[in-house]
Amino acid sequence: MSGRVIGVLGGSGAVGRVAVDRLSRYGLGPLRVGGRDLGRARAVADGAPGGAAEAVRVDLGDPGSLAAYCEGCSIVVNCAGPSYQVLDTVARAALAAGADYVDAAGDAVALRALASDPPAALARRSAVFSAGLMPGLSGLLPRVLAESGPLERLDVYVGGAAAIGPLSAVDALLTRGPGFGSALAAWRGGRVVERALAPLRSVALPGFRGRVHAWPFLSAEAADLAAELGVGELRNYTVYVSEHIPEALARAWAADDLPVEEHVPSVVAAADADIAIGGPWYTLLFHARPRVRGGGAPTRLLLRTPDSYALSGVVAALAARALAEGAVPAGAHAASAVLDPRGVLDALSRDPLVDEVDLG
Ligand SMILES: NC(=O)c1ccc[n+]([C@@H]2O[C@H](COP(=O)([O-])OP(=O)(O)OC[C@H]3O[C@@H](n4cnc5c(N)ncnc54)[C@H](OP(=O)(O)O)[C@@H]3O)[C@@H](O)[C@H]2O)c1
């Protein structure tokens, strides 16, 4: 490794400041908190509980600034976005500086952008994408339910009420089309079946507050998981407390001749309206039916957090810890494919940002 500093790019954001906090508490570092606003970065660096954190001004849109930021880092953790515009930009700069890479976001599309034209450094170094909640935990935690054998069926419900900042709203608006997933689709018998499912409106789900709306969306992550584990049928739902967000997204996608930024205020407002209903909360629920029944293996995993963005910062920090411990092979990977599902679940069970973990 070229250095021993861990850089957290976007370390003053909703995801990044929690990544900084946890990396510091795990005793990793020294840390380098990066962003365009040096004052915001410095406030986070000064508050790092383990000390030894510096603040550095960096604009990831400026190649010189980004290269200088990555120089001397052993790991660069990217929590800046919008992910679907950043793609593999920061990963390439980190690898060029001799560092490993973690991205709290970055879907299969970003991973492919790097892997399709891999830099030579990727033969020795690692790049871990989708180290957040969704994608991230949504593809990692179901593996705990598949430890004892193949699954006939897996149902995934992820959602709740969470504030969406302007930067993440751009990601929400751009996460569509081939490469990301397919609305109403399910995975059945080894392939994607379009229009297989209908929205579940006003349903009660374990661990979710009140009645919620569950929208079927077979993400690329969910389809990859089903294919890898040989799941017979996988149903993947994004859960909302109201129709505000799906309606705002549908309106924006119907008017996609306008620049994406024009639609950001309505997505941000829709998320705020959801929070006004009952405050912020978020749940991940996985329900499995094993092929061989009666073996006593757990069939349900539930995790509840008050803050999905902050929890993504915890996951990014856990991915960086796995890299620092040498537990990740060289190459480009999704976090769900290389992190230890049990190890992450245990760490999350002890994290103050997790209200409940129920495995049974
Ligand atoms: N996988 C998941 O489950 C998950 C969950 C939540 C969020 N995310 C993703 O995580 C990313 C961050 O979300 P967030 O809500 O934390 O955003 P945020 O609160 O707006 O924070 C963004 C951070 O990036 C920095 N930044 C923005 N543009 C930059 C640039 N050009 N150069 C350098 N730094 C820059 C910002 O600081 P300055 O403004 O000072 O530059 C800030 O520190 C988004 O891509 C989002 O989609 C993923």
Side-chain angles (χ1 to χ4, degrees), residues 6-30:
I6 297 184
V8 184
L9 183 58
S12 56
V15 174
R17 58 178 172 257
V18 178
V20 169
D21 179 273
R22 295 304 190 272
L23 286 166
S24 189
R25 287 182 198 278
Y26 299 159
L28 298 169

Side-chain angles (χ1 to χ4, degrees), residues 8-17 33-41 44 57-62 65-66 78-84 86 103-106 130-138 163-172 175 282 308-313:
V8 184
L9 183 58
S12 56
V15 174
R17 58 178 172 257
V33 183
R36 292 164 301 179
D37 182 330
L38 188 61
R40 283 183 62 198
V44 173
R57 180 181 287 120
V58 50
D59 185 342
L60 68 86
D62 172 350
S65 162
L66 184 57
N78 180 37
C79 300
S83 173
Y84 297 107
V86 171
D103 199 322
S130 306
L133 191 151
M134 183 175 68
L137 292 183
S138 46
I164 301 181
L167 192 139
S168 295
V170 174
D171 276 336
T175 312
Y282 219 78
S308 60
Y309 282 66
L311 198 66
S312 290

Side-chain angles (χ1 to χ4, degrees), residues 4-250:
R4 48 183 290 271
V5 178
I6 297 184
V8 184
L9 183 58
S12 56
V15 174
R17 58 178 172 257
V18 178
V20 169
D21 179 273
R22 295 304 190 272
L23 286 166
S24 189
R25 287 182 198 278
Y26 299 159
L28 298 169
L31 304 177
R32 181 179 296 168
V33 183
R36 292 164 301 179
D37 182 330
L38 188 61
R40 283 183 62 198
R42 188 169 286 138
V44 173
D46 290 348
E54 60 173 344
V56 171
R57 180 181 287 120
V58 50
D59 185 342
L60 68 86
D62 172 350
S65 162
L66 184 57
Y69 177 80
C70 294
E71 200 52 50
C73 288
S74 58
I75 303 172
V76 174
V77 180
N78 180 37
C79 300
S83 173
Y84 297 107
Q85 290 167 352
V86 171
L87 290 173
D88 58 345
T89 309
V90 183
R92 287 187 185 277
L95 292 163
D100 290 315
Y101 179 72
V102 172
D103 199 322
D107 219 317
V109 174
L111 195 159
R112 262 202 303 279
L114 182 67
S116 62
D117 181 16
L122 209 50
R124 288 165 285 111
R125 302 255 69 90
S126 313
V128 179
F129 291 87
S130 306
L133 191 151
M134 183 175 68
L137 292 183
S138 46
L140 178 71
L141 295 183
R143 292 163 193 264
V144 171
L145 300 177
E147 278 170 353
S148 310
L151 304 179
E152 182 179 304
R153 178 158 159 188
L154 177 65
D155 290 15
V156 177
Y157 301 90
V158 178
I164 301 181
L167 192 139
S168 295
V170 174
D171 276 336
L173 286 157
L174 295 181
T175 312
R176 64 188 292 242
F180 296 115
S182 185
L184 308 182
W187 180 272
R188 275 184 197 147
R191 65 185 187 91
V192 177
V193 180
E194 303 288 350
R195 307 202 160 277
L197 303 172
L200 305 175
R201 288 198 162 83
S202 200
V203 290
L205 294 169
F208 288 78
R209 287 196 202 161
R211 297 214 160 248
V212 290
H213 308 294
W215 287 79
F217 181 77
L218 187 70
S219 62
E221 180 190 55
D224 287 350
L225 178 76
E228 187 192 325
L229 299 183
V231 178
E233 174 165 350
L234 190 148
R235 300 180 181 199
N236 191 60
Y237 293 91
T238 310
V239 180
Y240 301 101
V241 298
S242 80
E243 309 267 7
H244 292 128
I245 293 176
E247 281 172 5
L249 291 173

